[in-house]
Amino acid sequence: MPHTDTSTHQVRGACPHDCPDTCSLLTTVSGGVAIKVQGNPAHPATAGTLCTKVSRYTERTYHPDRLLQPMKRVGPKGSGQFEPVAWDTALSDIAGRLQAIAARSPDAAQAILPYSYAGTMGLVQGDSMSARFFHQLGASLLDRTICASAGAEALTHTLGGKLGMRMEFFTESKLILIWGSNPIASNLHFWRHAQEAKRRGARLICIDPRRSETAEKCHEHIALLPGTDSALALALMHELIRNDWLDRDYLAQHTLGWDLMRERALQWPPERAAAVCGIPPEQITALAQAYGACRGDAGPAAIRLNYGMQRVRGGGNAVRLIAALPALIGAWRHRAGGMLLSSSSSFPVNRAALQRPELLAGRRPRTINMSTIGDDLLRPASTEFGPAIEALVVYNSNPVAVAPDSGRVVQGFAREDLFTVVLEHFQTDTADYADYLLPATTQLEHWDVHAGYGHTDALLNRPAIAPLGQARTNTQIFRELAQRMGYIGPEFTEDDQALCRLAYGDAVDFAALLAQGFAPVTLVEAPFAQGQFPTPSGKCEFFSARLAAQGLDGLPDYLPNYETPGTSAAYPLAMISPPARNFLNSSFVNVQSLRDIEGEPLLEMHAADAAARGLADGATVRVFNPRGAHHCRLVVSARARPGVVHGLGVWWRKFGLDGTNVNQLTSQHLTDLGRAPTFYDCLVEVAALS
Ligand SMILES: Nc1nc2c(c(=O)[nH]1)N[C@H]1C(S)=C(S)[C@@H](COP(=O)(O)OP(=O)(O)OC[C@H]3O[C@@H](n4cnc5c(=O)[nH]c(N)nc54)[C@H](O)[C@@H]3O)O[C@H]1N2
Ligand SMILES: Nc1nc2c(c(=O)[nH]1)N[C@H]1C(S)=C(S)[C@@H](COP(=O)(O)OP(=O)(O)OC[C@H]3O[C@@H](n4cnc5c(=O)[nH]c(N)nc54)[C@H](O)[C@@H]3O)O[C@H]1N2
Ligand SMILES: [Mo]
């Protein structure tokens, strides 16, 4: 039917992407078609601006390659050949396949694995009806470690949760350490506050192996080797102690284990750390002086820590040490002092109401770590592992592109005996391996409610347009699967608006969400000014009895990378693979206007490393290590320091020169805390492609 609706109106929504900014969106709809997506000027954290990616949201939504009907595999596994199939046929067949596995024995459903991450951060389309469905089924549980769990666990064991400074108060800080974070690319709305602080006279110091877009705009850049942040933090403590730049009163009242921490830090003079970090010792002493000078009225000093620095073996310990620094100088006394990695514990989300874990009814399915999906898909049945994985249902994630050690991941997905269902917007690298590929709605087409991990406002997303083609919401797909499986409880028929209301219950004003699209959660301004850390001791825990009880070191320490620069003659270069600015993990890689900006998969390398290998700028190179090889374009760049190369991610493999991306090189080793991947702990060699 042709559209008869010719009106133009604006709909309030929320950006669904995995980014600390969680913007409030205004979508202009004309004649039933979304014609523009803008930042909501009424939302203080968004302030009317969006990143380049999300301002292209209509290009993504109406992309000619959008999946608009269910598809069934016709070619060999992985060939990406499909034919259209009716929804009813697809859903009945999928339900039948899952039921046949589950029917074999009381715990046979563990052979089914749901695999999802944060393609949408929406609490409803993220994991609500899907979780209910898999709980009722008794499928394997998923350990969602791929991004943030090392840092999350570290914060919990130090400060008591994913809590910290409020983003807007960074404008009042006198010194801002931007540590393992590239806000211009990945946290744009924070950068606004940092710039305002700079205008008011604050000093900005960036700690990052790469001379990022952000690093080049700070007053100083400390280009340490990847995975050496703990050594730097210990040496900072050393200098603060040696010079007595301490807030002794704060340490005495509000911290636990200071004597032990002090003793350990005193083993780290700047010269020792400098050798580990690959930087001059003077840079460390100057940093300590700047930080120490911010005690009392001369401050406050703030740290914007981000996830980039925890993707290495010792990532958890590094976050523990950095999160402990503000206590040494009493920075938490001020609302503009302290640190922020994630604010997500500030949100009173009722996950149990959304996900209904009680549907497990006493069963205890095993948990599979999403970061080792490569190995786990290839594991045979055993008493330790349980049954081999026989069926995989993927939604909100693109593991074939984003999970580490893709050679193994691809081998697993290519198993002819694996039954794979993928819910997607596009035929991604993962979708290529589907047996059934189901078209999902985008954020413009469904209801959702959001928490964030940068600012502290809850958001509501109203649908702006009707679902395109035959696309269905994730929730609707799981409601219909549940019905075909014979799950008749009322929890399997609840609609999306009801689920939106459940997410916060009475903890957030839903009327405000409906009226303006966002509502702040209630918080104090300076969370730890009087201590009151939500740890077991109520203090900032240098020493964690909980970690010690697990047989781990109760005190944080420097743990060298699994693949430490300088330890391998064959693979002398450390490779990190932070995001390309115009992609969001592997999302947007297929949006032409954004891919045109990024060009092609690139490897940034310092001129000295290029010269030593006889490589010229623009050469096609082979990047390799024992796990595999990846071909891409070399950029000889001042962004790289000697010994470190940057393979900007996360490209779709199918857009790569040789059908791979950087994850062909990354490993399945896990972090010290949180069982997270170690994407930036990766040695490689680079050669011309002959
Ligand atoms: N444009 C864009 N924005 C994004 C994303 C995206 O893909 N694109 N991804 C989103 C997601 S899911 C996340 S988790 C966040 C990620 O954003 P961040 O948490 O900021 O993490 P990264 O971008 O991985 O890395 C940040 C910086 O850390 C540096 N780094 C790498 N290794 C080390 C190290 O060992 N020590 C130190 N000190 N620095 C290191 C990198 O060079 C990079 O410049 O951003 C979100 N925002
Ligand atoms: N080498 C390297 N690898 C990395 C990283 C890195 O820095 N370097 N970063 C890591 C990090 S921090 C993260 S968070 C992970 C991210 O990995 P993922 O969470 O897998 O994120 P994306 O690659 O963006 O893929 C999300 C997919 O979900 C789909 N999607 C979005 N909304 C919906 C929806 O409503 N319904 C359905 N069914 N699908 C939807 C999108 O189309 C997209 O294909 O990647 C990790 N991988
Ligand atoms: Mo992430």
Side-chain angles (χ1 to χ4, degrees):
M1 221 173 67
H3 279 295
T4 47
D5 173 11
T6 54
S7 68
T8 297
H9 62 283
Q10 286 195 319
V11 180
R12 289 194 190 83
C15 177
H17 287 291
D18 188 349
C19 167
D21 293 22
T22 316
C23 291
S24 173
L25 305 181
L26 282 183
T27 301
T28 306
V29 181
S30 178
V33 176
I35 54 172
K36 196 171 189 182
V37 176
Q38 292 165 281
N40 182 357
H43 182 230
T46 306
T49 54
L50 292 180
C51 65
T52 313
K53 305 176 290 295
V54 176
S55 56
R56 310 284 167 90
Y57 219 76
T58 54
E59 186 180 345
R60 185 178 189 276
T61 304
Y62 295 106
H63 195 295
D65 298 340
R66 251 308 280 284
L67 292 169
L68 296 176
Q69 54 190 338
M71 308 284 258
K72 184 182 161 79
R73 173 164 76 93
V74 287
K77 199 90 176 181
S79 66
Q81 291 167 264
F82 296 95
E83 67 180 18
V85 61
W87 265 115
D88 188 50
T89 314
L91 292 170
S92 297
D93 195 23
I94 294 165
R97 296 287 296 262
L98 300 183
Q99 216 146 24
I101 294 171
R104 287 204 299 255
S105 74
D107 62 357
Q110 293 185 97
I112 300 164
L113 177 69
Y115 194 101
S116 71
Y117 200 64
T120 169
M121 296 278 289
L123 296 167
V124 171
Q125 304 304 336
D127 216 20
S128 62
M129 197 53 71
S130 43
R132 294 178 180 187
F133 176 84
F134 291 113
H135 285 148
Q136 174 78 39
L137 178 60
S140 284
L141 302 172
L142 187 72
D143 199 3
R144 287 190 168 75
T145 57
I146 203 151
C147 172
S149 58
E153 241 180 64
L155 283 184
T156 301
H157 289 303
T158 310
L159 307 179
K162 290 189 264 180
L163 298 164
M165 288 174 62
R166 291 247 293 269
M167 199 158 265
E168 59 269 33
F169 297 148
F170 276 83
T171 44
E172 300 163 15
S173 310
K174 293 290 187 313
L175 171 71
I176 304 180
L177 308 187
I178 299 183
W179 199 326
S181 169
N182 180 12
I184 292 184
S186 57
N187 187 188
L188 194 60
H189 293 77
F190 164 75
W191 181 243
R192 202 166 50 92
H193 298 304
Q195 274 180 307
E196 175 58 25
K198 196 178 174 189
R199 276 192 290 274
R200 296 185 193 179
R203 188 169 167 75
L204 269 48
I205 302 178
C206 185
I207 304 172
D208 190 320
R210 178 173 186 248
R211 192 162 185 82
S212 66
E213 298 88 333
T214 305
E216 66 193 6
K217 295 205 167 52
C218 289
H219 296 100
E220 201 188 337
H221 174 210
I222 300 179
L224 78 188
L225 287 166
T228 62
D229 301 272
S230 289
L232 177 59
L234 284 160
L236 288 181
M237 290 187 183
H238 180 281
E239 289 301 282
L240 295 174
I241 297 164
R242 197 179 60 85
N243 293 293
D244 199 17
W245 291 327
L246 300 170
D247 184 334
R248 288 168 177 277
D249 183 52
Y250 194 91
L251 282 169
Q253 285 196 45
H254 303 309
T255 71
L256 181 75
W258 172 239
D259 286 350
L260 293 168
M261 188 72 253
R262 186 176 178 281
E263 204 179 307
R264 181 160 290 175
L266 286 174
Q267 296 163 23
W268 282 91
E271 296 71 25
R272 180 181 176 197
V276 169
C277 300
I279 55 175
E282 300 74 41
Q283 226 172 10
I284 301 180
T285 44
L287 178 64
Q289 195 165 21
Y291 196 66
C294 284
R295 283 163 306 142
D297 293 339
I303 302 175
R304 176 60 173 137
L305 189 63
N306 226 324
Y307 288 110
M309 44 68 65
Q310 47 106 67
R311 308 194 202 289
V312 293
R313 177 184 169 220
N317 271 271
V319 171
R320 288 200 68 211
L321 283 162
I322 297 164
L325 284 171
L328 272 73
I329 61 165
W332 290 118
R333 292 184 187 278
H334 313 265
R335 70 177 191 176
M339 58 87 67
L340 175 68
L341 171 57
S342 166
S343 61
S344 64
S345 299
S346 312
F347 291 86
V349 177
N350 190 347
R351 285 215 159 66
L354 291 169
Q355 305 183 347
R356 305 294 290 268
E358 76 280 6
L359 294 168
L360 283 169
R363 293 165 297 174
R364 292 167 155 245
R366 67 169 167 201
T367 300
I368 301 277
N369 186 339
M370 68 187 302
S371 301
T372 53
I373 188 67
D375 280 348
D376 289 342
L377 283 178
L378 296 169
R379 257 187 244 285
S382 68
T383 33
E384 312 79 62
F385 182 63
I389 298 170
E390 288 180 60
L392 196 57
V393 182
V394 182
Y395 51 103
N396 306 334
S397 186
N398 183 10
V400 171
V402 305
D405 197 359
S406 357
R408 298 281 288 171
V409 179
V410 165
Q411 218 184 320
F413 271 83
R415 271 175 45 198
E416 278 297 336
D417 62 339
L418 181 72
F419 178 65
T420 302
V421 179
V422 177
L423 285 60
E424 252 301 347
H425 299 152
F426 294 106
Q427 192 174 329
T428 60
D429 290 332
T430 304
D432 281 343
Y433 289 87
D435 292 282
Y436 278 105
L437 179 50
L438 306 179
T441 48
T442 70
Q443 190 77 346
L444 300 188
E445 299 151 68
H446 55 226
W447 283 94
D448 218 324
V449 65
H450 287 255
Y453 60 101
H455 65 64
T456 44
D457 299 324
L459 277 82
L460 180 78
N461 184 73
R462 287 171 185 269
I465 56 171
L468 298 193
Q470 297 181 40
R472 291 187 182 172
T473 58
N474 290 344
T475 44
Q476 182 62 15
I477 295 170
F478 285 103
R479 274 189 290 262
E480 297 203 24
L481 281 173
Q483 191 201 346
R484 283 170 177 77
M485 304 282 282
Y487 302 163
I488 51 167
E491 59 277 14
F492 293 109
T493 53
E494 231 162 349
D495 70 17
D496 288 1
Q497 288 185 61
L499 291 167
C500 283
R501 282 176 191 273
L502 275 183
Y504 288 112
D506 294 332
V508 169
D509 182 355
F510 201 77
L513 285 179
L514 282 171
Q516 60 177 12
F518 59 90
V521 300
T522 313
L523 291 170
V524 297
E525 292 195 343
F528 309 131
Q530 265 84 48
Q532 298 180 316
F533 293 88
T535 52
S537 62
K539 299 181 181 218
C540 171
E541 296 198 348
F542 296 117
F543 181 86
S544 165
R546 283 184 292 183
L547 289 176
Q550 291 170 34
L552 299 169
D553 193 345
L555 272 187
D557 204 353
Y558 163 65
L559 297 179
N561 280 2
Y562 290 109
E563 303 187 6
T564 310
T567 57
S568 160
Y571 306 103
L573 297 167
M575 186 189 80
I576 58 173
S577 47
R581 182 172 173 182
N582 292 289
F583 301 149
L584 195 295
N585 300 320
S586 77
S587 297
F588 297 98
V589 178
N590 63 330
V591 173
Q592 189 70 44
S593 71
L594 296 170
R595 196 163 74 248
D596 286 347
I597 305 175
E598 295 298 338
E600 59 186 321
L602 301 174
L603 187 80
E604 295 174 345
M605 182 187 268
H606 187 268
D609 288 326
R613 289 164 181 78
L615 299 172
D617 184 48
T620 308
V621 292
R622 180 169 172 267
V623 191
F624 60 100
N625 66 18
R627 288 176 289 273
H630 165 58
H631 298 172
C632 61
R633 184 82 53 213
L634 185 78
V635 184
V636 176
S637 169
R639 292 205 189 280
R641 54 158 289 156
V644 182
V645 292
H646 320 137
L648 302 185
V650 180
W651 281 79
W652 287 15
R653 290 165 61 86
K654 58 178 104 178
F655 290 123
L657 288 178
D658 63 341
T660 65
N661 69 15
V662 281
N663 281 323
Q664 198 75 14
L665 302 160
T666 54
S667 82
Q668 293 181 70
H669 291 308
L670 300 177
T671 51
D672 52 351
L673 298 174
R675 309 158 304 283
T678 54
F679 291 113
Y680 302 170
D681 181 339
C682 176
L683 288 182
V684 299
E685 180 52 296
V686 181
L689 195 63
S690 47

